[in-house]
Amino acid sequence: MSTGPGAASAPAPDPHDSPPAPASPASGDRARTSSMFSSLKVRNYRLFFMGQVVSNIGTWMQRIAQDWLVLSLTGSSAAVGITTALQFLPMLLFGLYGGVLVDRLRKRPTLLVTQSAMGLTAIALAALTLTGQVQVWHVYVAAFAVGLATVVDNPARQSFVSELVGPRQLQNAVSLNSANFQSARLVGPAVAGLLITGVGTGYAFLFNGLSFIAPLTGLLLMRARDLHVVERAPRGKGQLREGVRYVTGRPELIWPIVLVGFVGTFAFNFPVYLSAFADDVFHGGAGAYSMFNTLMAVGSVAGALLAARRGTARLRLLIVAAMAFGALEILAATTPALWMFALLMVPLGLFGMTVNVTTNTSLQMSTDPAMRGRVMALYMMIFLGGSPVGAPIVGWITDTYGARIGLAAGGAVAVLAAVVIGLVLARVGNLRLSVGWHRGHPRVRFVPREQREEELAPAA
C-alpha cells in the first residue's frame, strides 16, 4: 500500500453492515468476474504466491504425518491434542509481542528468517524419524519450535500481503492466499497418505523441509522498489497496550475476533476429530484420515474462490457461516457411514473457509496500516492460540465419550457463539431481525430498527 495515513489505505466496512451504494449490474458482474485472479498480475505477489504453493503442500504433508506419527506412537487422541496444543501455545503466550515486532520490522527480511527456521525444524524431525530414533517428545519439541516461529511468521505474512498488492487488491489477495493454502490440502494429504503407507512418515517431514526453498527463493527475487511502502511503527513503550485498546474500542474488530476464538478453540480441532473418526469410528487408517482432509480441502478451495469474487466482507456473512459450520459438525457427528461423513467434509470446508476469509479480510480492511501487525497478531493469537486450551479438552472428551460426542460438542459451541455474538452485533449496530419474503423466497436479515416492514417488501 502507499505511504500515508491509515484512513487512506483501505475502506473500513460499515459497522452497521449497510448495503453498498447501488451500481450497474452489468458493471458489477464484469468487476467480479475479472477480479478473481487480478492480484496475480502483480509480479511480487505472483512470486510470493508460487512459493507458497510448494511450501503449503509440504506443510499439509507434515500436518498429516505429524498427527499420524503421534497416534501411532501413543494410540491416544489426547496425545494428538497435546501436539496441536504445543504447536499453538507460543501464539497464545507471545502472539501480541510478535505483532509488536512485526509492526516495527521490515516484513521481507523477517519472513526470510522465520521460513528458514521452520524448514530446518522439519528437516531435523525428518532425520530423527528416518533413523528410527524418533520419540513422541521429539514431535512435541518440533511442534513447539514451529509454534515459536509462527508467532512472528503469521502476522508478518498476513500484513506483508498489503505491501505486495496495495489496498485495492487486498481482499482478492487475501482470498487467493486462502485458496492457495487450501488447494494444498488437495495434494498434501493425498501425497502424505501414500508416503506414510509406502515408505513412512519421515519422507513427508523431509519434503516439507525442502519445500521452504520455494518461498525463500520467491522472497529473494522480489523487487523492493515495487513494494507498497508502509511506515513502520517506531520503538516505544505501551505499544502492546495501544494495540489492545485499538481493537477493544471498535466493535467491528473485537466481536469477530471473539467469535473466531470460540470457533477456533472448540470447533476447528480437526486433527483430533478426524484422526479419531478415521481410526476408532470407521477403522479406515491413514488413508481415511487423508481422504477426510482432502475432501474438506475441496470445500475450502470453493469457499476461498467464492470469497475472491465477493466485493465486500460483511459481518452478517461471518455470523451465518459460523452457524452453518457448527450445525454441519453436529450433523457429521451423527452419520452412520464413512461415505456420508466424508461427503460432509466438503460443505464443512466451505463454511469453515468462509469464516476464516471473511474475518481476515474484514479485519485487515478496517485497520490502520501502522496497527495491522498487532491486530492480525491478536486475531491469530485468539484463533490459533485457543488450540492449547481446546485441543486437550476435546481430546479428553473424544477419548472418554467417543469421537461423535467430541465433534458434536465442538459444533454446538460454534452455533451458540455465532447466535450470541450475532445478537450482540445487532444491538451495537441498532439493528433488528427482519423475516420476510423476497422474490418468492424467505429472507432473514438484520435491518435498522427504525425501518418499517413495508419498506422492506419487494415491489409488485
Side-chain angles (χ1 to χ4, degrees):
M1 63 192 65
S2 59
T3 304
S9 67
D14 186 351
H16 294 251
D17 202 20
S18 58
S24 164
S27 64
D29 290 342
R30 284 195 301 269
R32 283 191 295 271
T33 301
S34 63
S35 66
M36 179 175 284
F37 301 103
S38 60
S39 54
L40 288 175
K41 297 176 183 177
V42 180
R43 179 182 182 276
N44 281 347
Y45 178 73
R46 192 163 59 248
L47 287 169
F48 180 81
F49 185 90
M50 291 188 295
Q52 291 298 312
V53 168
V54 179
S55 181
N56 286 336
I57 291 173
T59 296
W60 279 110
M61 289 175 64
Q62 173 143 334
R63 286 191 178 189
I64 301 299
Q66 176 179 278
D67 297 338
W68 201 254
L69 176 61
V70 171
L71 194 64
S72 301
L73 291 172
T74 65
S76 169
S77 293
V80 177
I82 291 171
T83 307
T84 302
L86 286 171
Q87 185 159 333
F88 297 120
L89 181 62
M91 182 64 72
L92 180 63
L93 297 177
F94 312 117
L96 287 177
Y97 295 98
V100 172
L101 284 175
V102 167
D103 281 337
R104 292 176 181 173
L105 300 173
R106 289 187 299 158
K107 307 301 185 295
R108 187 164 60 145
T110 300
L111 288 171
L112 286 170
V113 173
T114 57
Q115 297 276 296
S116 298
M118 289 189 285
L120 291 173
T121 302
I123 290 174
L125 188 57
L128 287 168
T129 307
L130 291 172
T131 58
Q133 303 299 314
V134 70
Q135 299 178 36
V136 69
W137 71 267
H138 293 142
V139 185
Y140 289 165
V141 170
F144 189 77
V146 169
L148 284 174
T150 301
V151 167
V152 177
D153 185 79
N154 259 343
R157 276 190 297 108
Q158 300 284 351
S159 54
F160 188 49
V161 172
S162 62
E163 296 187 24
L164 293 172
V165 300
R168 292 187 179 180
Q169 301 281 9
L170 180 58
Q171 176 161 338
N172 180 262
V174 169
S175 300
L176 289 182
N177 276 355
S178 299
N180 183 337
F181 186 69
Q182 298 303 325
S183 295
R185 291 178 72 179
L186 299 174
V187 180
V191 177
L194 292 173
L195 287 177
I196 291 170
T197 56
V199 294
T201 56
Y203 287 97
F205 299 139
L206 180 61
F207 182 94
N208 182 46
L210 296 177
S211 73
F212 281 94
I213 295 173
L216 291 172
T217 302
L219 288 167
L220 292 171
L221 291 176
M222 288 179 184
R223 295 172 182 162
R225 65 179 181 273
D226 291 340
L227 294 174
H228 295 255
V229 180
V230 173
E231 185 177 352
R232 287 177 282 157
R235 183 182 298 273
K237 294 183 179 180
Q239 291 179 322
L240 189 62
R241 292 190 299 272
E242 181 186 9
V244 174
R245 284 197 302 268
Y246 181 84
V247 172
T248 55
R250 304 182 65 177
E252 72 273 20
L253 296 181
I254 184 61
W255 288 112
I257 290 176
V258 171
L259 175 57
V260 298
F262 280 103
V263 174
T265 299
F266 297 102
F268 260 90
N269 277 289
F270 289 110
V272 178
Y273 296 138
L274 298 187
S275 61
F277 268 86
D279 197 45
D280 300 331
V281 178
F282 298 120
H283 310 290
Y289 184 44
S290 296
M291 178 182 66
F292 295 156
N293 279 278
T294 301
L295 289 172
M296 185 173 288
V298 172
S300 298
V301 171
L305 292 177
L306 287 173
R309 289 179 62 89
R310 283 193 293 269
T312 57
R314 297 190 173 187
L315 295 183
R316 67 186 179 193
L317 176 62
L318 171 62
I319 300 299
V320 171
M323 291 177 62
F325 179 74
L328 283 167
E329 283 198 341
I330 296 172
L331 179 61
T334 66
T335 54
L338 185 149
W339 68 269
M340 295 174 64
F341 183 85
L343 287 179
L344 283 173
M345 294 300 102
V346 176
L348 262 174
L350 189 151
F351 284 105
M353 180 51 53
T354 301
V355 170
N356 191 350
V357 173
T358 303
T359 306
N360 190 317
T361 305
S362 65
L363 291 178
Q364 291 214 49
M365 295 185 72
S366 302
T367 303
D368 188 292
M371 302 292 297
R372 190 164 284 144
R374 277 164 282 184
V375 172
M376 298 312 296
L378 179 62
Y379 161 60
M380 300 306 296
M381 184 188 77
I382 299 297
F383 183 51
L384 300 179
S387 292
V389 178
I393 294 174
V394 300
W396 175 80
I397 293 173
T398 299
D399 280 342
T400 305
Y401 300 103
R404 296 186 185 278
I405 297 297
L407 182 59
V413 170
V415 171
L416 181 61
V419 170
V420 171
I421 292 173
L423 293 175
V424 169
L425 285 171
R427 185 176 181 84
V428 169
N430 195 32
L431 304 175
R432 63 179 175 82
L433 187 66
S434 171
V435 181
W437 290 84
H438 180 69
R439 296 180 180 176
H441 299 284
R443 180 169 64 175
V444 180
R445 61 176 181 164
F446 286 103
V447 299
R449 289 183 182 277
E450 63 271 13
Q451 190 170 349
R452 296 177 302 172
E453 262 322 297
E454 56 264 30
E455 292 175 340
L456 300 177

